Amino acid sequence: MNINTGEKKYALSDSELEQFHKQGFIGPFTLASPVEMDELLKTLRKKLFNTKNAIYSTKKAVSGGTNLANYDRHFDINLLSELTKRPEIVNRVNSILGSDVLCWRTEFFPKYPGDEGTDWHQASNFANVAGDKKPQIVWPNGSDFGGTITVWTAMTDSTIENGCLQFIPGTHTQMNYDETKDMNYDADMINNAEKDGIRRGFFGYDYRQLQIDPDWKPDESKAEPMVMKAGQFIIFWSTLMHASYPHSGQSESMRLGFAKRYVPTSVQVYPFSRELKEFGGEASLINHKCVLVSGQDSYKHNVVEEPA
Ligand SMILES: O=C(O)CCC(=O)C(=O)O
Ligand SMILES: [Fe+2]
């Protein structure tokens, strides 16, 4: 079955694609107006509280920051499933990954007033926080690089003051972190660490533990803030050096991002894992599927939810 195979109205232009390959990200683009996104978020909040049908609700999933309770709610909330398939997003992802694309994970990234920023990090195969240290995505033999395309949608305004994303352009082709190294989870670390004068952490981990060179430091002088209006989204390689500012607490409202992660159908998702153990929680992957958001799946590597 096919979806999103018609006219690619929102495809990236040649110059946008060139820019994407050069800097590792492109955007922001607009999905909805701030008023529309605000309405959507109001509806969504009520649904998010009802975790009865959330696929990871059965086992321990701690709350606060990013964690398993924030993962993959597109399986039980239609509104989120629809978001992952929006042509404004998928057409552009197709320009990068080709016509046959899976969404394999969605995640919320909330920052409440006073919350620390997100550590600088890069993710290639996502073994980084996995308790079993197994790669969560595996590209075909011969691929020179891995990673996933992340589409991060601002569900609220995202500003320097309330913790917007930061990128270091052009850093997506070389990993500064070794995802096979161990990282300790410690919930007491959340909102409790300062790194080079900035309050930052990785939701209970310290991402610096994965550094290939323990003495290396990201060149923050090259970092760019990704200021976005509610309803805008940005597209980036997970291998791009990215982080976020702390929420300064000057404003009372939270910042919320909804990340959707995409790979081509040739990629194997969770090939070695039957459960997720990360961010202090654990859950079975038995109800996990990849969602085909465009084209077709001729590889059959993964359990795939096809369009109705
Ligand atoms: O929103 C954030 O602070 C971090 C987001 C992130 O790391 C991601 O989407 O991969
Ligand atoms: Fe990330």
Side-chain angles (χ1 to χ4, degrees):
M1 234 170 293
N2 284 316
I3 181 176
N4 268 322
T5 44
E7 187 205 355
K8 302 270 183 223
K9 189 172 163 197
Y10 301 102
L12 294 176
S13 69
D14 288 346
S15 68
E16 283 172 334
L17 194 57
E18 192 183 323
Q19 207 188 349
F20 171 81
H21 287 306
K22 198 165 140 219
Q23 46 179 33
F25 69 93
I26 189 83
F29 301 102
T30 297
L31 187 67
S33 70
V35 174
E36 284 166 336
M37 188 47 85
D38 202 46
E39 282 298 312
L40 191 146
L41 187 53
K42 275 196 194 114
T43 314
L44 186 62
R45 278 189 198 282
K46 294 178 202 139
K47 296 179 189 285
L48 282 172
F49 279 116
N50 179 358
T51 55
K52 207 171 56 191
N53 295 319
I55 66 166
Y56 305 134
S57 68
T58 47
K59 273 202 183 174
K60 194 174 128 194
V62 291
S63 55
T66 204
N67 62 70
L68 297 181
N70 277 333
Y71 275 28
D72 292 347
R73 295 301 305 272
H74 60 286
F75 288 111
D76 67 294
I77 302 176
N78 261 340
L79 207 133
L80 295 176
S81 160
E82 282 159 18
L83 265 187
T84 66
K85 296 173 188 161
R86 285 280 293 265
E88 292 91 332
I89 293 172
V90 176
N91 285 183
R92 289 175 170 111
V93 173
N94 289 144
S95 301
I96 299 162
L97 296 180
S99 55
D100 303 329
V101 171
L102 301 171
C103 174
W104 65 282
R105 180 185 287 175
T106 63
E107 264 172 83
F108 283 100
F109 286 99
K111 293 245 180 265
Y112 294 91
D115 275 358
E116 65 190 4
T118 305
D119 273 347
W120 284 105
H121 66 287
Q122 295 170 299
S124 176
N125 64 24
F126 286 76
N128 50 13
V129 295
D132 58 9
K133 292 311 278 181
K134 299 277 198 258
Q136 298 189 337
I137 52 172
V138 176
W139 284 68
N141 269 342
S143 311
D144 43 278
F145 211 59
T148 190
I149 287 293
T150 295
V151 175
W152 195 101
T153 302
M155 303 205 105
T156 62
D157 287 350
S158 185
T159 65
I160 291 177
E161 184 275 315
N162 76 5
C164 71
L165 288 173
Q166 296 173 275
F167 293 159
I168 305 182
T171 50
H172 56 298
T173 56
Q174 193 174 351
M175 287 291 283
N176 301 299
Y177 303 90
D178 175 356
E179 288 169 290
T180 66
K181 285 192 175 186
D182 285 326
M183 237 183 350
N184 310 94
Y185 178 79
D186 178 1
D188 291 338
M189 285 278 296
I190 299 174
N191 289 326
N192 236 343
E194 221 174 77
K195 291 162 191 176
D196 292 309
I198 302 173
R199 295 178 50 251
R200 268 204 246 265
F202 202 72
F203 316 103
Y205 300 92
D206 182 342
Y207 214 84
R208 295 176 303 187
Q209 291 183 327
L210 298 188
Q211 279 180 211
I212 293 170
D213 173 1
D215 298 326
W216 164 88
K217 274 191 183 158
D219 185 356
E220 299 215 36
S221 71
K222 299 209 167 77
E224 292 179 13
M226 299 295 128
V227 174
M228 282 187 259
K229 282 272 167 218
Q232 290 192 307
F233 65 93
I234 197 142
I235 305 174
F236 63 101
W237 270 125
S238 57
T239 52
L240 180 72
M241 283 291 294
H242 61 290
S244 74
Y245 286 97
H247 191 310
S248 72
Q250 279 164 32
S251 63
E252 278 175 18
S253 51
M254 55 130 25
R255 170 220 93 162
L256 186 63
F258 179 56
K260 299 154 285 301
R261 309 213 191 270
Y262 300 94
V263 288
T265 50
S266 58
V267 168
Q268 291 173 265
V269 178
Y270 300 124
F272 311 114
S273 310
R274 300 178 68 181
E275 37 171 42
L276 283 176
K277 255 193 192 160
E278 45 201 59
F279 300 112
E282 53 182 275
S284 165
L285 281 166
I286 194 134
N287 292 320
H288 176 269
K289 287 179 182 166
C290 294
V291 179
L292 187 69
V293 297
S294 66
Q296 51 191 330
D297 173 26
S298 51
Y299 290 90
K300 311 279 181 215
H301 287 324
N302 304 298
V303 181
V304 165
E305 182 182 290
E306 304 241 2

